[in-house]
Amino acid sequence: MSQKQSQWILAEVPEIPPDIDDTLPEILVRMLCQRGVEIGDMKRFLQPRLQDLQDPFLMPDMRPAVDRILTAIDQNQSVCVYGDYDVDGITSVTLLTRVLRAYGVKTRSFIPRRGPEGYGLNEAALKRCMSEGDKPDLLVTVDCGTASLTEIAALTTDGVDVIVVDHHEPPPQGKPDCIAVVNPKCPQEREGDSFDYLCAAGVVFKLAHALLKTRMIDGFDLKEHLDMVAMATVADIVPLVNENRLLVRHGLKFLANTKNEGLKALMEVAQVKGPLTSADVGFRIGPRINAAGRMDRPEDALATLTTTDADEAAALAETLDGHNKTRQGEELRIHKAALKQLEAEHDPSDPVIVLGSRDWHPGVVGIVASRLMRRFHKPTFIIAIDAQGIGKGSGRSIGGVSLMDAINANRELLEAGGGHAMAAGISVHEDKIDAFRQGFADFVTTHVSEEDRLPRLHIDAEIDFPTLSLDFLKSYELLQPFGSANPEPLFMTREVWLTEPPQELKNHHLRLSMKQKECWKSAMFFSAGQRKLPEQPWDIAFTINRNVFRGRTSLQIVIQDVRAHQKED
């Protein structure tokens, strides 16, 4: 099955307002306009300030949550913080536990295991949670709980008060009956920022802010814990808008000089050195934390972030790195097997990819689904089937195809299913996988035209080689942090020639030396060694970043796509 050629779509050049700040490069202003940033907000966007954070009590149920936690502090009650096994959940547990212990609260934490227990509050995980310590007076869920109406009702009946701190959508039945549900996705009557873009760690940060506004702790600086919030916000791929952008921008600075021994050790293992970017979190630090959850050892990640001993942190970071290498090995094995199965069983004209096996690990099927979706530009589900014949699948989609709509259209074939338009999970019996594949394909062909399913490369601006200077890079970096809703800009340039044959490095990466007229540049083209390259000259689509090697700083071009040169229309 061949990879589809992308259609390049160059964004229209916006009209530059006459009263714009002339100290900003024109191309930077153009990209700000393309991203919907108003003239009066440009400086605030480029230089966000912590003093612009809004009142945390604008969040729903914040006052009853703060009051109940203060009661736990004053009455010396025990608290359990119950989270999720991904980066957002583990950093949320770490941050809230640290704040509560700073108040002197008897606090323990709990993370469910993905394989045997699954996500969120559930009977199996709660049974283990209660067996590992005394029954708490107060249980605070982070990054879960909004949809756990039955489980929370049982806890309340058992005499455990519950506070939910979450960012997931409430169920149709409404929010659970408990002390408070601090979740920006829940309806509220107050006007102003809805905060619905926050990840769980962002909501925990607001709760901590509200607690400290109500009762300060001598010597406790909440800003120093923005490293946790930045990591979670990037790793959870929530929109980098409003306060998220502010929290990540400043959080990355604190992360570069973190006081957290576990993060220091993780950055050492991942060979990450400041100044840090969202890519460092998303591709180097975050995956090592997530790998523990994928390998059913989330407690290792939690221990790494909570230890205060440097030697223990170093050992735990090595353990996480080992989990990540195991995850990478499993991912590679499953990816190869999936490609083989795809070649043998699927027609290249199929509009979807649905593959399953009893030999696949459920913790990594989502990553494999993402790789296949990007390679073949088809909505994809990869399913790990257990010994009882129940498959747990993860899906990733392309623009225009909603996985949730597809799941709802095929509910009768599934045991369960939920998620979002672009990423979702299903539970399906192996006997019904073929029927689901057909139903999924029928939904896609019925609701989305073939033209709308073609891959598109959306390019922000056309730029020539002489413009790519370190001065331009310095201004360009003000757009960071990049992520959801503020993607890394994609540039293009025309009619470039290779000055020598491509140099293939390990993992099929290419190092290229190119020229455009009389200007020479070097570039990296990752995983392109086995790709058939077009005849020269080329047009190239690329991103840029800062490269520091042996003390020398340069602007690095990273090619995303190439095509034979096409003259401008």
Side-chain angles (χ1 to χ4, degrees):
M1 189 181 291
S2 61
Q3 191 168 357
K4 298 178 181 178
Q5 178 64 47
S6 296
Q7 177 187 1
W8 294 18
I9 301 173
L10 180 61
E12 293 184 7
V13 178
E15 183 176 347
I16 304 299
D19 54 346
I20 198 66
D21 184 349
D22 59 8
T23 63
L24 298 175
E26 181 181 332
I27 193 167
L28 188 65
V29 174
R30 282 168 48 189
M31 286 188 286
L32 287 170
C33 291
Q34 288 169 347
R35 288 159 196 246
V37 180
E38 301 291 337
I39 301 173
D41 295 331
M42 285 187 179
K43 281 196 172 180
R44 188 181 297 114
F45 181 91
L46 296 173
Q47 298 174 328
R49 304 175 302 172
L50 285 171
Q51 66 192 65
D52 292 329
L53 286 169
Q54 296 192 65
D55 184 356
F57 285 100
L58 295 174
M59 294 273 286
D61 277 5
M62 185 64 83
R63 176 54 66 187
V66 167
D67 290 345
R68 180 62 186 87
I69 291 173
L70 291 177
T71 297
I73 296 169
D74 294 336
Q75 297 184 8
N76 197 30
Q77 294 180 340
S78 62
V79 179
C80 177
V81 181
Y82 184 115
D84 187 22
Y85 39 68
D86 66 359
V87 175
D88 192 16
I90 290 171
T91 53
S92 295
V93 171
T94 301
L95 176 55
L96 186 55
T97 300
R98 189 159 293 171
V99 171
L100 293 175
R101 287 177 178 168
Y103 278 109
V105 178
K106 294 182 294 184
T107 308
R108 66 182 177 95
S109 52
F110 181 84
I111 306 283
R113 292 173 183 150
R114 179 193 295 259
E117 294 166 348
Y119 165 78
L121 286 174
N122 62 77
E123 185 178 354
L126 278 171
K127 183 178 180 179
R128 180 167 67 89
C129 175
M130 294 304 168
S131 72
E132 291 182 349
D134 295 334
K135 184 174 70 174
D137 299 297
L138 173 64
L139 186 140
V140 184
T141 73
V142 293
D143 200 24
C144 61
T146 300
S148 304
L149 279 66
T150 302
E151 292 81 2
I152 289 175
L155 285 166
T156 302
T157 300
D158 197 31
V160 179
D161 285 347
V162 178
I163 294 173
V164 173
V165 184
D166 196 10
H167 72 128
H168 292 99
E169 295 286 348
Q173 308 95 299
K175 65 181 185 179
D177 184 11
C178 57
I179 298 296
V181 180
V182 185
N183 183 340
K185 299 282 176 58
C186 290
Q188 57 181 327
E189 297 179 358
R190 292 178 177 173
E191 296 181 358
D193 195 335
S194 67
F195 302 109
D196 60 355
Y197 46 80
L198 290 172
C199 66
V203 182
V204 170
F205 178 84
K206 301 297 283 189
L207 172 60
H209 188 193
L211 281 165
L212 292 164
K213 283 190 69 167
T214 306
R215 185 181 298 181
M216 292 180 61
I217 305 173
D218 289 340
F220 188 90
D221 189 351
L222 185 58
K223 295 195 300 295
E224 293 181 356
H225 303 278
L226 281 172
D227 48 12
M228 296 286 171
V229 184
M231 285 210 314
T233 303
V234 171
D236 220 47
I237 321 180
V238 290
L240 292 185
V241 297
N242 299 357
E243 289 198 4
N244 272 352
R245 175 175 172 77
L246 189 160
L247 293 170
V248 174
R249 180 72 166 267
H250 289 274
L252 289 173
K253 294 177 182 178
F254 280 100
L255 180 59
N257 301 287
T258 184
K259 296 180 179 180
N260 184 290
E261 294 294 345
L263 287 180
K264 287 180 188 177
L266 272 176
M267 287 192 289
E268 182 73 24
V269 164
Q271 298 182 336
V272 173
K273 298 177 182 178
L276 301 182
T277 68
S278 52
D280 292 320
V281 172
F283 297 108
R284 302 174 78 176
I285 305 173
R288 286 171 167 80
I289 298 173
N290 269 332
R294 294 185 186 281
M295 297 294 107
D296 290 329
R297 293 288 302 175
E299 57 271 21
D300 292 341
L302 184 62
T304 304
L305 296 189
T306 54
T307 185
T308 57
D309 182 89
D311 291 336
E312 183 183 26
L316 285 165
E318 290 291 347
T319 297
L320 294 194
D321 194 50
H323 289 323
N324 194 48
K325 289 175 181 175
T326 301
R327 186 271 303 170
Q328 289 172 329
E330 280 293 291
E331 177 191 338
L332 180 61
R333 182 182 68 82
I334 295 172
H335 183 249
K336 288 181 177 178
L339 286 173
K340 187 175 180 179
Q341 187 182 133
L342 185 66
E343 194 73 30
E345 300 177 9
H346 277 231
D347 189 309
S349 64
D350 288 346
V352 302
I353 296 173
V354 179
L355 304 170
S357 172
R358 288 196 174 208
D359 192 38
W360 295 348
H361 193 294
V364 298
V365 291
I367 304 174
V368 176
S370 182
R371 288 183 63 175
L372 293 182
M373 178 275 294
R374 290 196 302 270
R375 177 169 177 174
F376 299 110
H377 197 73
K378 293 183 179 184
T380 300
F381 275 98
I382 302 298
I383 304 166
I385 305 167
D386 65 19
Q388 287 70 46
I390 298 298
K392 297 294 179 67
S394 285
R396 300 293 185 269
S397 196
I398 61 175
V401 177
S402 168
L403 294 184
M404 276 309 303
D405 288 348
I407 286 171
N408 289 331
N410 290 277
R411 284 281 177 192
E412 73 282 358
L413 300 172
L414 302 174
E415 302 291 318
H420 308 283
M422 303 304 289
I426 59 171
S427 178
V428 58
H429 195 279
E430 63 182 332
D431 291 342
K432 294 185 177 179
I433 290 177
D434 288 341
F436 173 70
R437 181 188 298 113
Q438 188 59 56
F440 187 23
D442 290 345
F443 171 86
V444 169
T445 54
T446 301
H447 292 84
V448 186
S449 70
E450 185 173 357
E451 181 181 355
D452 287 340
R453 299 198 306 271
L454 292 174
R456 292 177 171 85
L457 204 61
H458 293 277
I459 295 169
D460 292 87
E462 185 170 347
I463 191 169
D464 57 18
F465 274 6
T467 305
L468 297 174
S469 65
L470 287 177
D471 284 340
F472 172 75
L473 181 64
K474 184 177 180 180
S475 296
Y476 162 88
E477 287 176 335
L478 293 174
L479 291 171
Q480 295 191 31
F482 299 127
S484 176
N486 186 44
E488 187 175 10
L490 183 63
F491 300 106
M492 71 166 290
T493 196
R494 302 177 192 268
E495 202 170 357
V496 301
W497 298 79
L498 291 176
T499 61
E500 59 186 56
Q503 179 185 359
E504 184 164 349
L505 310 177
K506 65 178 182 178
N507 298 321
H508 304 299
H509 303 324
L510 296 181
R511 179 180 287 130
L512 306 175
S513 178
M514 303 175 296
K515 70 173 182 176
Q516 184 184 58
K517 296 183 179 178
E518 298 306 315
C519 187
W520 294 48
K521 297 286 183 184
S522 61
M524 291 298 300
F525 195 0
F526 293 110
S527 304
Q530 296 178 313
R531 176 171 174 165
K532 184 179 180 180
L533 299 174
E535 292 293 324
Q536 299 182 62
W538 294 346
D539 297 336
I540 62 172
F542 62 96
T543 56
I544 62 173
N545 59 41
R546 180 181 294 267
N547 183 47
V548 180
F549 182 69
R550 293 179 179 174
R552 181 176 175 270
T553 300
S554 62
L555 181 151
Q556 183 176 58
I557 293 174
V558 181
I559 296 177
Q560 305 298 320
D561 198 10
V562 298
R563 70 182 186 188
H565 171 54
Q566 298 178 13
K567 293 184 178 180
E568 297 183 56
D569 295 333

